[in-house]
Amino acid sequence: MAADVRQIEDPILSVQGLTVAFDTEAGPVRAVEKVGFTLIKGRTLGIVGESGCGKSVTALSIMRLLPQPMSRIEGGQVVLDGIDLVALPAESMQTIRGASVAMIFQEPMSALNPVHTLYKQISEPLRIHRPELSKGELKREVIRLLTDVGIPDAEGRLSAYPHQLSGGMRQRVMIAMALALSPAILIADEPTTALDVTVQAQILDLIRRIQTNSGMSVIFITHDLGVIAEQCDDVVVMYAGKVVERAGASTLFADPKHPYTQGLLASMPRLDAPRKTRLATISGQVPGLMDLPPGCRFQNRCPHVMERCRSEVPEEVTVGEAHQVACHLYDMIGGSGKGC
Ligand code: SF4
């Protein structure tokens, strides 16, 4: 396999062989299996896939925020600046979270405390991590953070409670909280899914602007390829707990290799399509994690399925510069493979 050139650019986070299991009434299931990718400093990586594909579990594993005690990281590494976060004691993760890696979620109310004012919530991490700040400096810093994320009359809002804000404003407050300690990496898990289209565009714009100004690296978790096209430099496509394709965003959109990625792209609405064109869909359902077939997990939906797909698990092969795909259509002739 050829080297992934992005791995020798300037990686800030490297996930290798990540495997996560959940205990269920029917026994343990692997929600994520041998997932690997690299986030490059200053770039945006999108993780895309249908719900239940393991993208949020991957994000929570990086943060070591998996629900306890029913889930665990069974194998693999999450290496941040040379430190394997999987091997760190829980107490050490508290200094990583917020300061090195921060996360924002789809529903801000799940992260904001409804009974505390904005000032109390945003100043909290600053109080803990920067005890040298005086009361006045702390207040100025909170006002600056709220202003930076576009909250009008930031000073006047310090004593407001989350329920007094609109959904878009709450999302801005959550971003302000996430940015309080200037993290090197921001993980955004479907941050705009619950918002209307105009507010969605404003929030995406805000994240892009913050990234340009700060040089922060971003991981975008989404089911929306439109968001990926707008925001991301690199893309990881996940299906049923596995990575099926990795590439630069422009490569992925111009030359998708995996039949699942091709299906996702075909189901995207296009402005240049004739009116009343029906959108393509991927037939069938994602298999349940308790019910995974042997071989390729996409076999029951794949228009190119072959005999060997029913029994052999496809390994990732390199099909172009920084372009990897896990599909038997491409592993027959040393990774150069054939297209579908
Ligand atoms: Fe389709 Fe086989 Fe490739 Fe799976 S391995 S995506 S079933 S061609």
Side-chain angles (χ1 to χ4, degrees):
M1 189 189 297
D4 178 346
V5 292
R6 282 182 172 77
Q7 286 174 6
I8 49 176
E9 284 187 30
D10 194 3
I12 186 165
L13 182 85
S14 170
V15 174
Q16 299 152 15
L18 180 69
T19 299
V20 180
F22 277 72
D23 293 324
T24 69
E25 282 179 6
V29 292
R30 284 183 169 171
V32 155
E33 197 166 330
K34 293 186 183 163
V35 161
F37 55 84
T38 301
L39 174 66
I40 303 299
K41 214 168 254 181
R43 291 173 75 104
T44 300
L45 173 86
I47 303 182
V48 69
E50 289 163 278
S51 67
C53 71
K55 49 194 196 306
S56 292
V57 171
T58 302
L60 291 173
S61 305
I62 295 170
M63 298 293 287
R64 294 268 307 274
L65 285 175
L66 286 167
Q68 297 298 318
M70 76 283 280
S71 59
R72 68 203 154 271
I73 296 177
E74 277 196 344
Q77 293 185 313
V78 175
V79 181
L80 171 72
D81 273 339
I83 299 168
D84 181 10
L85 302 187
V86 173
L88 276 187
E91 315 80 66
S92 309
M93 268 313 288
Q94 280 166 13
T95 56
I96 301 276
R97 264 184 239 120
S100 297
V101 190
M103 187 162 174
I104 56 173
F105 302 88
Q106 178 178 335
E107 182 37 75
M109 283 310 266
S110 62
L112 297 174
N113 189 326
V115 300
H116 289 154
T117 63
L118 301 191
Y119 179 71
K120 180 160 175 50
Q121 303 196 48
I122 299 173
S123 63
E124 188 77 13
L126 289 164
R127 226 192 298 266
I128 295 167
H129 289 265
R130 295 179 60 191
E132 77 282 3
L133 291 182
S134 69
K135 227 171 154 187
E137 287 168 330
L138 200 59
K139 185 174 173 188
R140 275 196 294 282
E141 190 58 12
V142 173
I143 292 171
R144 181 190 69 77
L145 282 161
L146 286 173
T147 307
D148 279 359
V149 297
I151 302 279
D153 181 25
E155 186 162 7
R157 303 265 185 168
L158 292 179
S159 52
Y161 290 88
H163 73 269
Q164 295 174 305
L165 304 175
S166 67
M169 285 294 161
R170 283 200 288 260
Q171 194 56 278
R172 286 174 193 268
V173 169
M174 191 161 59
I175 294 171
M177 276 172 69
L179 297 178
L181 302 175
S182 308
I185 299 172
L186 176 71
I187 302 178
D189 187 359
E190 304 269 14
T192 58
T193 304
L195 303 174
D196 71 48
V197 182
T198 318
V199 182
Q200 182 171 355
Q202 290 168 357
I203 296 293
L204 293 179
D205 218 49
L206 171 65
I207 294 173
R208 216 172 12 237
R209 183 167 55 76
I210 292 164
Q211 184 180 24
T212 308
N213 293 340
S214 67
M216 185 173 69
S217 312
V218 176
I219 296 179
F220 239 102
I221 311 271
T222 182
H223 64 278
D224 185 343
L225 277 169
V227 170
I228 295 278
E230 285 265 311
Q231 298 287 124
C232 299
D233 303 300
D234 305 297
V235 190
V236 170
V237 183
M238 290 188 69
Y239 185 80
K242 292 202 136 200
V243 171
V244 296
E245 187 159 5
R246 295 189 288 148
S250 49
T251 303
L252 192 97
F253 281 94
D255 188 20
K257 294 293 191 194
H258 196 281
Y260 176 59
T261 316
Q262 292 171 347
L264 279 181
L265 285 173
S267 61
M268 258 182 99
R270 294 178 60 112
L271 284 175
D272 57 354
R275 286 184 68 206
K276 297 194 179 167
T277 302
R278 285 189 145 234
L279 284 180
T281 53
I282 305 173
S283 64
Q285 303 278 331
V286 185
L289 292 174
M290 293 299 297
D291 211 16
L292 293 171
C296 175
R297 295 181 178 183
F298 191 58
Q299 60 182 267
N300 292 339
R301 307 174 78 186
C302 180
H304 307 284
V305 61
M306 301 171 283
E307 202 44 49
R308 62 188 292 229
C309 306
R310 307 268 183 214
S311 55
E312 290 175 42
V313 176
E315 297 294 332
E316 205 172 61
V317 293
T318 296
V319 290
E321 188 180 304
H323 190 175
Q324 281 79 30
V325 62
C327 169
H328 289 313
L329 290 168
Y330 303 93
D331 63 8
M332 295 183 239
I333 35 178
S336 56
K338 66 171 190 174
C340 343

